[in-house]
Amino acid sequence: MDCDTARVLLHGHLDGELDLILDHEVDRHIEQCDRCIAEYAAIRALQTRLKDQSLYFEAPAELKEKTRRAIHRALPRAQASPSIRRSSVRRAVRFAIPMAVAAILALLIVPSAIRPGHNEIVAQEVLASHVRSMMASHLMDVASTDQHTVKPWFNGKLDFSPPVVDFAQDGFPLVGGRLDYIDGRAVAALVYQHGKHVINVFMWPAAPEAAHSAKIETQQGYNLEQIAVAGMNCWIVSDLNPTELAKFGELLRARG
Amino acid sequence: MPDETTAVDFERTFLPHMDAAYNLARWLVRNDHDAQDVVQDAYLRALRFAGGFRGDNPRAWILAIVRNAAFSWLKSNRGSDPPVLFDENVHEGHAEETGLEADALRKADATMIRAALEELAEEFREVIVMRDIEGLSYKEIADAAEVPIGTVMSRLARARTKLAQSVKNRIAKG
């Protein structure tokens, strides 16, 4: 290696951006070249000085606040656009008060009468969350295939600890998790993959509702399944075909 | 995505990178007031184009927009001032003969380094800010500055050599 090449590559070397072979060649050149070793030391000294706190300009708090306000002005949350999630939220809100009244009446009179309606809304929310997560803005808060990383991540973020199991050996690797909001509460969302399909699993502690027949519904081309896992209410949603989704549901029920 | 982007989604993805955005803008336009304008402008532009973001690296994505906003600002506000170009004859002196000395650089105080970096041409200043101050990888810099990865290393090499030389000249002048 000649000096001209080494003088460029030593930067990649210092930055840990070279492959092993080049790294080694740079080392070998530097060891026997006084000028390059001096340059290497000088650049390293410069890099150290550049880490000085006073050279980093943090964003002023007023800028953060100002920008947040500008974003909200430019894009109000209730913007009228054909979003599944928002329409489902709006629908949920519109029905919230009548439903609360109905729920009280139902508890007194016909305990199971309103459940399908409630479940339907939850199903809509689950589906909307899945669709939204696929829009790539926010699939995962914690990206890890390691269940021992994902599970502790939820600590302190939820008032329960969801079962997190990796099913990589069965063809359904865990890829990450995030917080989501379903049925008026914070829930755990676990993200699995099967081939190119993404599976979202939403979990939260279940009120002991009527036993769910593990029936798969299809809505807007997505398949949804609701099951009970370790005392959790659990919704599985994906564009995966119903057979494979059922297989995944079985795994979750058996080992979750 | 624009239709489905809520302010909350957008904030959750991009607001955590506002320090990085401001730091880059601040180094490029070199004053607080204009850097704030540039960042705010960039965030509003980002909001419009959020549909083009595919979830890979929000920091590099927002920095690319901040960088473009900063360069448009520089272009329209430079007025009659000549662009800041590094005068190699003045600053580089006899670098080839004297070489760079690590000891001298270790002694350089932050004010001196800051002045030298502010004087560096923008294409060199930005790679040093992104790599040595912000800690971006070459890949992230390549994405943000929209140049090939190989260019990142050669530009960094030139930028650091110029900066080191400039700091050394300042030390020599006292």
Side-chain angles (χ1 to χ4, degrees):
Chain A
M1 183 176 286
D2 60 57
C3 278
D4 287 345
T5 313
R7 285 190 165 193
V8 173
L9 287 178
L10 66 84
H11 293 266
H13 187 282
L14 278 164
D15 292 328
E17 294 269 357
L18 298 184
D19 63 41
L20 280 174
I21 296 167
L22 271 181
D23 246 352
H24 182 65
E25 282 183 31
V26 172
D27 275 337
R28 262 198 352 211
H29 175 87
I30 288 177
E31 276 165 20
Q32 37 149 335
C33 174
D34 288 346
R35 267 173 49 177
C36 285
I37 199 161
E39 174 124 350
Y40 188 88
I43 300 299
R44 192 158 63 178
L46 180 69
Q47 277 188 309
T48 310
R49 297 301 292 119
L50 283 165
K51 294 215 161 43
D52 194 289
Q53 281 294 311
S54 68
L55 296 176
Y56 194 100
F57 296 103
E58 278 178 23
E62 53 166 313
L63 173 63
K64 293 184 183 175
E65 204 32 60
K66 206 161 65 177
T67 306
R68 189 177 286 130
R69 278 200 307 271
I71 290 167
H72 281 267
R73 269 199 307 275
L75 191 61
R77 223 186 120 72
Q79 174 191 0
S81 66
S83 153
I84 301 165
R85 181 181 174 80
R86 273 198 300 275
S87 64
S88 74
V89 167
R90 228 179 287 132
R91 192 179 323 153
V93 169
R94 204 183 321 136
F95 286 124
I97 294 169
M99 277 211 20
V101 175
I104 294 164
L105 288 176
L107 283 174
L108 296 171
I109 311 162
V110 276
S112 60
I114 55 121
R115 294 242 162 85
H118 176 247
N119 243 19
E120 208 173 281
I121 288 173
V122 172
Q124 276 294 318
E125 284 188 36
V126 164
L127 178 61
S129 268
H130 174 72
V131 172
R132 205 166 53 102
S133 76
M134 302 304 298
M135 284 164 173
S137 63
H138 188 228
L139 181 58
M140 285 174 274
D141 289 326
V142 51
S144 172
T145 54
D146 180 4
Q147 63 206 54
H148 304 297
T149 302
V150 176
K151 191 176 169 73
W153 181 84
F154 284 110
N155 286 345
K157 299 186 178 72
L158 291 170
D159 55 0
F160 61 96
S161 180
V164 181
V165 183
D166 182 20
F167 301 112
Q169 290 186 341
D170 306 279
F172 297 92
L174 173 72
V175 291
R178 68 173 190 283
L179 283 184
D180 218 307
Y181 199 73
I182 302 274
D183 197 19
R185 60 162 301 143
V187 306
L190 299 176
V191 186
Y192 289 87
Q193 207 155 17
H194 185 66
K196 285 188 174 154
H197 303 276
V198 170
I199 305 170
N200 264 300
V201 178
F202 299 91
M203 284 188 200
W204 63 98
E209 289 195 39
H212 309 298
S213 58
K215 194 182 105 203
I216 295 185
E217 328 172 26
T218 302
Q219 288 195 27
Q220 295 162 30
Y222 294 97
N223 293 308
L224 282 94
E225 186 180 12
Q226 186 191 11
I227 59 173
V229 174
M232 303 271 167
N233 197 5
C234 175
W235 285 80
I236 307 168
V237 54
S238 177
D239 60 347
L240 198 62
N241 67 61
T243 321
E244 303 239 58
L245 197 69
K247 190 179 148 201
F248 177 72
E250 278 307 315
L251 285 170
L252 205 58
R253 223 186 327 238
R255 304 220 303 265
Chain B
M1 187 164 105
D3 276 357
E4 290 80 8
T5 305
T6 63
V8 173
D9 283 336
F10 182 84
E11 279 181 10
R12 204 153 47 162
T13 311
F14 296 108
L15 282 190
H17 303 296
M18 192 170 281
D19 283 336
Y22 178 77
N23 185 48
L24 178 63
R26 180 72 174 69
W27 276 108
L28 284 176
V29 306
R30 297 181 296 187
N31 76 77
D32 168 58
H33 179 80
D34 295 318
Q36 291 207 26
D37 283 353
V38 162
V39 170
Q40 194 172 349
D41 177 41
Y43 269 79
L44 291 174
R45 283 193 209 186
L47 191 61
R48 275 207 302 284
F49 301 120
F53 176 65
R54 284 287 165 265
D56 184 33
N57 188 331
R59 182 168 62 164
W61 195 81
I62 195 78
L63 287 182
I65 298 175
V66 167
R67 179 181 175 275
N68 287 333
F71 279 108
S72 347
W73 184 91
L74 286 168
K75 209 172 155 191
S76 51
N77 288 275
R78 222 165 229 147
S80 52
D81 292 348
V84 185
L85 286 177
F86 197 91
D87 186 339
E88 308 209 347
N89 295 323
V90 174
H91 293 278
E92 227 142 351
H94 299 284
E96 286 307 309
E97 287 153 42
T98 56
L100 303 169
E101 287 149 31
D103 286 345
L105 290 167
R106 265 180 224 115
K107 282 185 290 192
D109 65 54
T111 321
M112 201 176 262
I113 290 179
R114 180 170 163 178
L117 183 53
E118 283 193 330
E119 232 177 76
L120 217 54
E122 284 133 13
E123 59 171 312
F124 297 128
R125 202 188 316 147
E126 66 171 359
V127 287
I128 288 186
V129 170
M130 288 194 264
R131 172 64 220 174
D132 291 326
I133 299 181
E134 188 58 51
L136 263 58
S137 69
Y138 285 8
K139 171 77 174 67
E140 289 176 300
I141 298 172
D143 287 348
E146 293 162 322
V147 295
I149 243 180
T151 307
V152 174
M153 182 161 54
S154 55
R155 204 172 280 179
L156 259 175
R158 293 184 63 197
R160 285 170 177 161
T161 309
K162 285 172 188 296
L163 181 64
Q165 195 55 53
S166 167
V167 171
K168 218 185 116 191
N169 289 346
R170 277 160 205 274
I171 297 171
K173 272 188 236 158

